[in-house]
Amino acid sequence: EVQLQASGGGMVQAGGSLRLSCAASGITWDQYTIAWFRQAPGKEREGVACVTTTGGTKYYADSVKGRFTMSSDNAKKTVYLQMNSLKSEDTAVYYCAAERIPSIFVQSTWNNPHVYTNLWGQGTLVTVSS
């Protein structure tokens, strides 16, 4: 069965850290873009960060640059989102998604949730208290 399993959410105080994990199964790992999205109540889903499984290229939303770091363990087919210096505005349900995006389009499309047609993990809630 093809699936993404997201984990690692929780409650943390502002300034704290969390690490999210997204484990894939049932897919060939090559040439995927794995992205994290988040959705706060009443807001649209927004792209947070992504990594390409071939080449390891990473992109970040401006709102998380310098605070969040993507990494991947290709042997485990798992990507991680290390979130440091968390703020109350980071509170949201976080989702991981995977899609084979042609490399020339990754930079311009990675943060569009509609690009990810099939593979979404279940959400994991991150709550940052101020």
Side-chain angles (χ1 to χ4, degrees):
E1 181 183 3
V2 177
Q3 64 177 357
L4 299 177
Q5 183 73 34
S7 61
M11 183 177 292
V12 65
Q13 289 189 332
S17 298
L18 282 174
R19 189 177 80 155
L20 305 183
S21 300
C22 178
S25 59
I27 66 170
T28 303
W29 191 242
D30 289 351
Q31 299 179 353
Y32 272 93
T33 296
I34 314 290
W36 284 99
F37 288 82
R38 66 186 180 187
Q39 190 164 19
K43 294 190 175 181
E44 293 187 352
R45 192 167 295 191
E46 64 169 342
V48 175
C50 78
V51 62
T52 60
T53 59
T54 302
T57 302
K58 301 168 190 175
Y59 296 102
Y60 298 91
D62 288 343
S63 58
V64 305
K65 280 181 183 175
R67 301 188 298 121
F68 291 10
T69 303
M70 285 282 285
S71 62
S72 61
D73 184 332
N74 289 347
K76 294 182 178 180
K77 296 186 180 180
T78 300
V79 300
Y80 305 97
L81 182 67
Q82 178 66 43
M83 306 186 295
N84 298 329
S85 302
L86 283 161
K87 305 175 181 179
S88 57
E89 51 263 44
D90 296 317
T91 295
V93 178
Y94 284 70
Y95 301 88
C96 59
E99 186 62 64
R100 278 192 163 135
I101 303 172
S103 57
I104 60 171
F105 297 128
V106 172
Q107 185 173 9
S108 61
T109 67
W110 72 268
N111 58 348
N112 181 348
H114 300 293
V115 169
Y116 300 79
T117 56
N118 242 354
L119 285 175
W120 284 87
Q122 87 287 5
T124 185
L125 177 63
V126 172
T127 303
V128 184
S129 60
S130 56

